[in-house]
Amino acid sequence: MSKAPSILVLSDVHVLPKTIPNYHIVESLRLMLSVDRLKRVDALFITGDFWDRLINAVEMVSEYDEAIDIVVEILENCKAANTVLRIVKGTPFHDWDQSKWFIRFNELAEIGADVRYFDDVHLEKDPTLGVWIGYIPDAIRPEPQQVYDELVEKMKTLGCDKIDYILAHGFFDFQNTYGAPAYDTVAFSEIVRYGIFCGHDHGHKQYLKVTVPGSFERLTHGDEGPKGMLESRVINGVHHVTFIENKNAAWIYTKDLTTYSDDALLQRVEEAIKGHCPERDGYLGKLRLFVKAETELRPSLCKYEKRLPFKLEISYVSEEEEKEELSEAQVAFTENLIPLTAANIGEQLLDGLDVDASIAERILARVRREVKV
């Protein structure tokens, strides 16, 4: 294949989760990875954490069967669609190298899918797709710079002027890394022709040539945005990435009702339930409500938890807890403030924005004229 391939990118599926039913994730995968959809692309990339935890075949009989069935089904669909499958290893305590099963079951069942799995830093010109692909598993080297240097050295050795795509699992420095080591977004973007697809972060985002698919499913409170996968296409030399939403994703919502008095509370609870309860069959999801601990309506609220066709969790928050949380948030906010100076104002204003260099310079020039720091 001489032209850039069309690609689906799937990440952080977390098969066998502890927070939602496994059968629901399997159902979503079947809907999103049908033969018809796979026929529209040349490749399916999985950027780590296909699994949530290590399978215990003795204690998890039905879940084990579901997991094996969906692995085989994905392989069969890829074969039927003539779509190649490439997988990079994710977080060790999630994946546990279990994605090797794609290789094993492809062989055992004699499916014949074009599938490859990478558990170390690797660069090659893909034998089927004909493009240069780099692979970066999670936590594979002590320092991110080592991975970059290793890929650059492989490029020189193999005669690769640009890597077309990188499949990675980890963090880049434009993301909230929670203190974890992060790859240099600018440096990696400079050695890549089209795109870097990076799993691990469950929120979909993009900066320079790095696109984070986000998780395939909603798995927990606090991670309630759109879920799905990516479609990558190169049109007239320009790389386009489209987010495809998994509309079957479990819905998980949190609503803060601590500002309402008892007079209005029950009405607000009803509105929250009606506003978030999806009209569909099968697994629904979870709704968490925060209400004041001082409310006298606990008996009435308990009735809601028992009569709904989904999980309703009501958390009671005392005024003292609210004050403590507010105080901690204020301290954290104050500690993280960065004083503006003439030297750093440009960097702070443009931090995290994907702005063309010429536009950035015009913005900074205007700021320097109008603002005295």
Side-chain angles (χ1 to χ4, degrees), residues 172-190:
F172 279 81
D173 55 13
F174 74 94
Q175 300 170 261
N176 183 348
T177 68
Y178 306 97
Y183 298 108
D184 187 323
T185 310
V186 174
F188 271 87
S189 293
E190 288 174 349

Side-chain angles (χ1 to χ4, degrees), residues 124-152:
E124 69 173 16
K125 191 166 188 177
D126 191 279
T128 305
L129 298 173
V131 293
W132 288 98
I133 304 179
Y135 297 90
I136 306 174
D138 188 33
I140 198 64
R141 299 288 184 269
E143 297 296 332
Q145 186 63 39
Q146 293 175 265
V147 176
Y148 175 82
D149 293 342
E150 194 169 331
L151 277 178
V152 169

Side-chain angles (χ1 to χ4, degrees), residues 15-18 20-24 26 51 53-71 101:
V15 169
L16 299 170
K18 297 179 180 178
I20 68 173
N22 186 62
Y23 68 78
H24 180 75
V26 170
W51 308 93
R53 52 182 164 149
L54 186 63
I55 294 179
N56 184 323
V58 176
E59 297 178 2
M60 306 161 63
V61 178
S62 62
E63 292 90 347
Y64 175 85
D65 289 343
E66 289 171 349
I68 300 309
D69 285 348
I70 196 59
V71 166
W101 287 3

Side-chain angles (χ1 to χ4, degrees), residues 36-302:
D36 286 342
R37 187 186 292 277
L38 289 170
K39 280 183 177 179
R40 302 174 204 162
V41 296
D42 303 303
L44 170 62
F45 291 169
I46 299 178
T47 56
D49 285 3
F50 184 83
W51 308 93
D52 187 67
R53 52 182 164 149
L54 186 63
I55 294 179
N56 184 323
V58 176
E59 297 178 2
M60 306 161 63
V61 178
S62 62
E63 292 90 347
Y64 175 85
D65 289 343
E66 289 171 349
I68 300 309
D69 285 348
I70 196 59
V71 166
V72 171
E73 190 168 325
I74 290 172
L75 289 166
E76 290 175 338
N77 287 0
C78 284
K79 173 63 177 176
N82 196 30
T83 300
V84 308
L85 175 58
R86 302 291 181 258
I87 308 167
V88 70
K89 179 181 177 180
T91 306
F93 62 81
H94 281 310
D95 264 356
W96 290 98
D97 264 327
Q98 292 174 127
S99 285
K100 288 181 178 178
W101 287 3
F102 281 90
I103 305 296
R104 185 61 173 152
F105 284 111
N106 190 49
E107 295 170 351
L108 288 174
E110 299 182 346
I111 296 169
D114 184 344
V115 55
R116 304 186 72 193
Y117 171 70
F118 298 88
D119 58 4
D120 201 353
V121 178
H122 186 71
L123 174 64
E124 69 173 16
K125 191 166 188 177
D126 191 279
T128 305
L129 298 173
V131 293
W132 288 98
I133 304 179
Y135 297 90
I136 306 174
D138 188 33
I140 198 64
R141 299 288 184 269
E143 297 296 332
Q145 186 63 39
Q146 293 175 265
V147 176
Y148 175 82
D149 293 342
E150 194 169 331
L151 277 178
V152 169
E153 184 59 35
K154 289 179 184 293
M155 291 173 70
K156 293 177 182 177
T157 303
L158 297 171
C160 169
D161 63 327
K162 286 274 189 180
I163 303 173
D164 293 295
Y165 302 96
I166 289 179
L167 278 66
H169 198 89
F171 285 120
F172 279 81
D173 55 13
F174 74 94
Q175 300 170 261
N176 183 348
T177 68
Y178 306 97
Y183 298 108
D184 187 323
T185 310
V186 174
F188 271 87
S189 293
E190 288 174 349
I191 64 172
V192 169
R193 180 173 286 110
Y194 298 125
I196 302 167
F197 305 113
C198 185
H200 200 36
D201 188 335
H202 283 200
H204 169 50
K205 48 186 65 73
Q206 189 274 334
Y207 181 60
L208 296 180
K209 292 185 179 177
V210 180
T211 306
V212 179
S215 58
F216 179 70
E217 269 281 2
R218 294 186 189 93
L219 299 167
T220 183
H221 289 289
D223 182 26
E224 301 171 6
K227 299 299 174 184
M229 58 187 182
L230 306 176
E231 183 174 284
S232 160
R233 293 184 183 274
V234 176
I235 303 172
N236 297 325
V238 179
H239 186 219
H240 298 268
V241 180
T242 305
F243 180 76
I244 303 174
E245 186 175 356
N246 172 15
K247 295 186 180 297
N248 191 58
W251 63 273
I252 298 179
Y253 294 106
T254 300
K255 190 81 171 178
D256 185 357
L257 301 179
T258 55
T259 58
Y260 295 101
S261 65
D262 282 2
D263 291 341
L265 184 58
L266 291 181
Q267 179 184 345
R268 297 302 180 185
V269 170
E270 289 277 1
E271 290 173 356
I273 291 170
K274 291 178 181 177
H276 292 300
C277 183
E279 295 179 0
R280 70 182 188 202
D281 296 328
Y283 177 70
L284 296 175
K286 304 176 182 180
L287 173 63
R288 179 173 62 180
L289 304 178
F290 287 113
V291 302
K292 285 185 177 295
E294 294 76 17
T295 181
E296 296 181 0
L297 298 176
R298 289 199 184 205
S300 298
L301 293 172
C302 287

